[in-house]
Amino acid sequence: MTVRTSDIEKAAGVLRGGGLVALPTETVYGLGANAEDPAAVARIFQVKGRPPSHPLIVHISGAEYLDDWVQDVPATARLLAEHFWPGPLTLVLRRGRRVPLEATGGLETVAVRVPDHPVALALLSAFGGGVTAPSANRFGSVSPTTAAHVRAELGDAVDFVLDGGPCDIGVESTIVDATGEVPSILRPGGVTREALEAVLGCPISVPSTSLVRVPGQHPSHYAPRARVILVEPEKVASEAELAQEQGHQVGVLLPPACAGAAVKAHAVVALPGSMAAYARGLYGFLRELDQQGCDLIVASLPVEEGLGLAIANRLRRAAGPRPTV
Ligand code: AMP
Ligand code: MG
């Protein structure tokens, strides 16, 4: 999918004028603003309904500009940047003076990455600065992986939408705390734990998932409108049928192991066998089940290896307790 140079120039102009641009990246669509413009950054929080204490990711056009945005970069962080950028890896480092506290939720650290998408890179080059961009959706909901998702969810609240086609990876970046010599994963994502460990030559810690299993501790995020429940793979079909009999409009994410099973539910998505295809499709599947009027989605966790770790993390968060209105 090609984007006209005139559209890139227009989007860069919107950023310079303090506006918001939705931009495609290889992970999900971002809602971008000039990282150095506190008023524009504040608009991101307003449009998303995101609490101002939730820090944003600053997108830059190349690893060579890292030192413009951060200070005291440990050797390990440079190694990771050299190896994985452009790509779905976000490094949390000490905040440089160019980054306003509005973009970091008041923290003295800042999250930075170089996206691996020709349209995002063209925009960053044309603009010439850093672009803060969280996912282009309302706070807590499913991230957009197409320009149509962005338009449906944010509409006129965005000044310009760059359509770069569907996102290739489909889940957000892996966030690594790289402030010390021993990095750790804060959020699993598009770069796998295994790939990080291969480059680091040692194990890297990931956030404990047991915490997320306990109801009431982690509020939902990455969540569709429908409630999400997670069951063992072999129970997906029976739980779905039971809930449907109880009067729910049940949507099912059917694991490949159950392919071909006739499930009595309102809507069934047969999941692809490859983790890359599952990650790419995940948010679209959840949106589709919402659109079909499901009020309950029954799913199971994939094996937590490779991209399965990020998919399981998003499903757990989607199944977390909803804020009471
Ligand atoms: P989103 O852009 O919506 O995918 O969210 C950005 C993610 O980056 C959030 O989970 C933030 O908590 C995380 N993040 C951004 N900056 C920092 C930081 N300085 N320290 C830790 N996490 C961060
Ligand atoms: Mg988000």
Side-chain angles (χ1 to χ4, degrees):
M1 179 129 192
T2 51
V3 169
R4 287 194 298 265
T5 312
S6 58
D7 279 344
I8 298 286
E9 289 300 334
K10 186 172 165 192
V14 169
L15 292 175
R16 281 186 209 107
L20 301 185
V21 173
L23 65 147
T25 79
E26 81 281 33
T27 58
V28 301
Y29 272 72
L31 181 63
N34 176 1
E36 294 174 88
D37 179 343
V41 173
R43 260 192 77 203
I44 290 184
F45 287 94
Q46 189 200 336
V47 165
K48 279 186 63 89
R50 179 168 170 130
S53 58
H54 280 241
L56 305 176
I57 296 172
V58 177
H59 294 73
I60 60 175
S61 61
E64 63 273 32
Y65 301 110
L66 181 61
D67 295 280
D68 294 351
W69 300 93
V70 301
Q71 308 175 44
D72 305 336
V73 181
T76 338
R78 287 211 195 274
L79 176 74
L80 293 176
E82 272 162 28
H83 205 277
F84 291 103
W85 285 354
L89 177 71
T90 297
L91 296 175
V92 172
L93 290 159
R94 276 197 59 203
R95 182 176 71 94
R97 274 190 216 98
R98 270 177 95 165
V99 183
L101 285 167
E102 281 81 357
T104 68
L107 295 173
E108 285 304 330
T109 53
V110 60
V112 186
R113 96 172 178 103
V114 180
D116 187 15
H117 193 290
V119 175
L121 290 171
L123 175 63
L124 288 166
S125 297
F127 173 58
V131 171
T132 41
S135 50
N137 55 281
R138 307 266 177 210
F139 182 66
S141 80
V142 174
S143 299
T145 50
T146 66
H149 293 164
V150 178
R151 291 194 191 99
E153 190 157 344
L154 298 181
D156 293 342
V158 189
D159 300 306
F160 194 62
V161 179
L162 279 171
D163 187 347
C167 300
D168 194 39
I169 292 181
V171 291
E172 298 77 359
S173 60
T174 302
I175 303 180
V176 167
D177 179 350
T179 48
E181 278 303 331
V182 181
S184 63
I185 294 178
L186 299 177
R187 172 182 74 184
V191 167
T192 64
R193 172 192 197 159
E194 294 84 350
L196 287 166
E197 290 179 341
V199 169
L200 292 170
C202 63
I204 185 165
S205 69
V206 295
S208 152
T209 51
S210 59
L211 275 183
V212 189
R213 279 182 182 278
V214 181
Q217 288 204 341
H218 270 262
S220 71
H221 205 89
Y222 313 109
R225 255 198 332 269
R227 194 158 66 83
V228 177
I229 57 166
L230 299 174
V231 301
E232 295 304 322
E234 62 278 10
K235 295 212 172 121
V236 168
S238 56
E239 290 287 334
E241 287 183 14
L242 188 66
Q244 185 75 23
E245 277 163 22
Q246 287 168 347
H248 285 287
Q249 297 294 308
V250 178
V252 180
L253 294 183
L254 194 66
C258 310
V263 186
K264 289 193 208 85
H266 182 65
V268 179
V269 173
L271 292 173
S274 97
M275 281 297 132
Y278 188 175
R280 194 177 302 128
L282 174 66
Y283 291 138
F285 302 150
L286 295 174
R287 277 175 194 272
E288 197 179 302
L289 294 176
D290 266 348
Q291 259 161 23
Q292 294 196 29
C294 299
D295 63 89
L296 184 74
I297 295 173
V298 181
S300 64
L301 296 177
V303 177
E304 294 183 57
E305 291 168 4
L307 281 173
L309 187 66
I311 296 169
N313 171 273
R314 304 307 187 269
L315 286 173
R316 280 204 181 87
R317 294 296 306 274
R322 301 294 165 94
T324 42
V325 193

